[in-house]
Amino acid sequence: MAAAEQQQQPPPPPEGCRPLSALLGGIAQAAYYGKAGITEELLRRQLYPEAAPEEFRALRAKMGGLLQSIASADMDLNQLEAFLTAQTKKQGGITSDQAAVIAKFWKNHRIKIRESLINQSRWDNVLKNMNWRVDLKSQSRHIDQINTPVAIVEMELGKNGQESEFLCLEFDEAKVNQMLKKLSEIEESMTSLTQTT
Amino acid sequence: MAAVGKTMAYGHSESGGGRGGFLGARVPAEVEAMARAVRDVDKETFRRLLKVTVNALEGKDCKESVKLIAESTNLSEEQLAFLISGMYTLLREALRLPLSTFKQEVFKEDLKELRIPEDFIADFSSIVFGNRRPVSEGTAQRSRLPSVQDFKWRVDVAISTSSLARALQPSILMLLKLSDGTAHRFEVPVAKFQELRYNVALILKEMNDLEKRSILKIQD
């Protein structure tokens, strides 16, 4: 059904591992990509139809927990390898095949999942988009008003899952200059920040 | 100019009504009242009042000027407010009409119907049809969009969150205060910020290009 079809399908892994890859995908869809309606029952029927419900629940919980640890720490490849190796050595841990599947999944989804987690802690309005145009007065009773360009800017501000607010503003050339100056200040501030961390 | 706004009365009058002059079928009450009261005003005072009215139309603050006029004449501030209010409405209505269809003779006729003295009609007329036509900053601003009056910003770095133990993600917080009195606060992710900066630079370039192009056109 829908969930399984939307998984990113990497080149065919060893046969026994396909359902695990898809399971991780399903977990990610629900936990990080905000897809509703992905129930445990749905996943079990689609991916592990022969498994008993309790058995599947345990599997899902274990995989979900591993993924959460990896995502929360935003593990790089070294950390990931160390972590997964430790998991294979644990009592009731994972097999090395499973470790390989998890590693491959994380490599493919790391950036997207991180972005999604960062968005989850943005609770105010966020600048989503901006559109603009520049108008020029071509006719005016007062000759000094000609040649004064005016920029009309529309900013889309929104929160997660809510309808956006559109802010329409006007800028004359002086204001655009001021704005650009301030934006450059911000840019400088950020570069010096990232250089010292 | 607070006084002008508050003393605008609503109502209608019989004289001049139903004619459909530039003030419409019902002449606004304050214009009527002004037309009556202005007959007792001397020319100099009238001209000063007219100047105040034009300033008000241009969106300038007039409290001081009105005070000065009150001090030097025997008119009370309230009477002055009535006069200015009527003159303001009269001029505002006249200025709204396009010069291509609204002719001076018609304007003068309408004012004659209100029994405004000839001299004053000439003064009104020169405002509406002459070079001293007010730029109408006030009305122009009403149909313009708000502009940014103040822009404050802050760079935050999220160190850790409930979903991400090690975030170390910079983000920009902006606070825009607009000319219409509202304030808007929003977060700008780093990637969006670069887009914003690029767009603003592009806008400036467009403005410069446009100016150069139209200067050349006019010099033709």
Side-chain angles (χ1 to χ4, degrees):
Chain A
M1 216 198 86
E5 277 156 9
Q6 279 171 24
Q7 303 320 318
Q8 273 180 287
Q9 291 296 342
E15 206 34 58
C17 297
R18 248 166 144 241
L20 179 58
S21 189
L23 175 60
L24 291 171
I27 295 172
Q29 285 282 330
Y32 307 117
Y33 303 150
K35 190 126 175 63
I38 298 187
T39 60
E40 205 166 85
E41 183 52 28
L42 180 77
L43 290 172
R44 188 191 71 83
R45 261 189 291 125
Q46 281 291 307
L47 306 171
Y48 292 86
E50 286 104 43
E54 311 82 56
E55 196 188 322
F56 179 76
R57 177 170 308 138
L59 177 66
R60 187 201 202 266
K62 184 179 355 186
M63 291 302 145
L66 288 177
L67 196 53
Q68 189 173 340
S69 300
I70 298 170
S72 168
D74 191 31
M75 290 185 190
D76 61 29
L77 294 179
N78 290 332
Q79 293 169 310
L80 184 68
E81 199 182 315
F83 176 74
L84 288 176
T85 312
Q87 290 296 317
T88 56
K89 301 216 159 75
K90 260 174 66 178
Q91 184 65 263
I94 56 178
T95 68
S96 48
D97 280 345
Q98 286 174 325
V101 174
I102 295 172
K104 194 172 202 134
F105 181 83
W106 180 243
K107 275 183 212 154
N108 286 334
H109 288 255
R110 179 187 181 188
I111 294 178
K112 262 181 85 180
I113 291 180
R114 186 187 148 85
E115 190 55 46
S116 160
L117 289 176
I118 286 171
N119 270 328
Q120 281 177 23
S121 35
R122 286 205 173 107
W123 308 307
D124 282 333
N125 268 337
V126 171
L127 177 66
K128 295 211 157 132
N129 210 3
M130 106 178 238
N131 289 315
W132 57 269
R133 72 165 201 264
V134 176
D135 286 351
L136 189 71
K137 284 209 185 110
S138 57
Q139 277 185 1
S140 177
R141 188 190 170 87
H142 303 270
I143 209 125
D144 60 345
Q145 276 182 27
I146 309 184
N147 299 339
T148 46
V150 168
I152 313 279
V153 176
E154 177 191 78
M155 292 177 147
E156 181 182 351
L157 306 176
K159 294 189 197 171
N160 286 333
Q162 281 180 21
E163 239 178 73
S164 294
E165 176 192 344
F166 288 88
L167 203 58
C168 273
L169 305 172
E170 206 177 80
F171 290 81
D172 63 23
E173 200 168 339
K175 286 232 144 72
V176 177
N177 247 321
Q178 272 173 29
M179 188 69 157
L180 196 56
K181 234 180 114 214
K182 292 232 162 162
L183 294 178
S184 301
E185 283 170 21
I186 297 177
E187 172 72 28
E188 268 176 46
S189 165
M190 281 204 309
T191 354
S192 62
L193 247 183
T194 47
Q195 274 169 3
T196 50
T197 42
Chain B
M1 191 179 165
V4 173
K6 283 191 191 132
T7 53
M8 279 206 224
Y10 294 97
H12 68 284
S13 70
E14 300 302 318
S15 69
R19 249 192 70 254
F22 81 92
L23 287 164
R26 296 172 175 184
V27 177
E30 67 269 23
V31 177
E32 279 269 318
M34 181 272 297
R36 277 194 296 267
V38 90
R39 293 169 213 151
D40 303 324
V41 171
D42 65 76
K43 198 175 175 87
E44 157 137 12
T45 309
F46 173 78
R47 288 213 162 140
R48 291 168 75 187
L49 291 173
L50 196 57
K51 190 150 186 287
V52 168
T53 309
V54 171
N55 284 340
L57 283 165
E58 291 183 330
K60 299 182 190 145
D61 184 43
C62 313
K63 280 198 289 267
E64 279 306 312
S65 329
V66 177
K67 251 198 225 148
L68 284 172
I69 300 179
E71 280 163 19
S72 56
T73 63
N74 56 357
L75 296 163
S76 70
E77 277 208 45
E78 202 195 353
Q79 286 173 296
L80 288 177
F82 272 110
L83 284 166
I84 295 173
S85 164
M87 290 163 74
Y88 183 93
T89 303
L90 188 153
L91 283 176
R92 191 195 61 202
E93 291 306 309
L95 288 167
R96 278 178 55 216
L97 302 169
L99 286 174
S100 43
T101 45
F102 185 46
K103 296 300 169 202
Q104 199 172 65
E105 301 77 46
V106 176
F107 177 69
K108 285 181 166 174
E109 271 300 311
D110 286 349
L111 293 193
K112 245 194 227 158
E113 290 269 336
L114 292 167
R115 288 194 270 273
I116 294 178
E118 279 287 335
D119 283 351
F120 298 168
I121 294 184
D123 285 341
F124 276 130
S125 198
S126 70
I127 300 278
V128 178
F129 297 95
N131 311 352
R132 290 191 297 146
R133 192 175 165 101
V135 176
S136 300
E137 267 302 317
T139 39
Q141 254 166 23
R142 249 181 272 138
S143 54
R144 290 218 296 242
L145 294 169
S147 62
V148 174
Q149 230 155 42
D150 190 27
F151 168 29
K152 290 198 169 81
W153 58 268
R154 194 172 89 200
V155 175
D156 277 355
V157 179
I159 296 174
S160 181
T161 73
S162 45
S163 17
L164 203 52
R166 199 171 150 272
L168 292 180
Q169 180 78 12
S171 199
I172 299 134
L173 233 63
M174 294 192 180
L175 178 63
L176 292 181
K177 286 208 189 124
L178 305 184
S179 55
D180 64 359
T182 57
H184 296 265
R185 177 196 143 131
F186 53 92
E187 193 176 326
V188 186
V190 176
K192 269 290 169 245
F193 169 76
Q194 299 300 352
E195 205 181 297
L196 176 65
R197 198 160 146 250
Y198 172 76
N199 274 301
V200 174
L202 197 54
I203 291 175
L204 194 60
K205 180 178 176 298
E206 276 298 318
M207 285 176 143
N208 285 329
D209 285 351
L210 267 176
E211 274 178 328
K212 282 195 209 120
R213 247 186 282 154
S214 40
I215 285 176
L216 291 172
K217 244 197 254 170
I218 288 182
Q219 285 177 350
D220 271 342

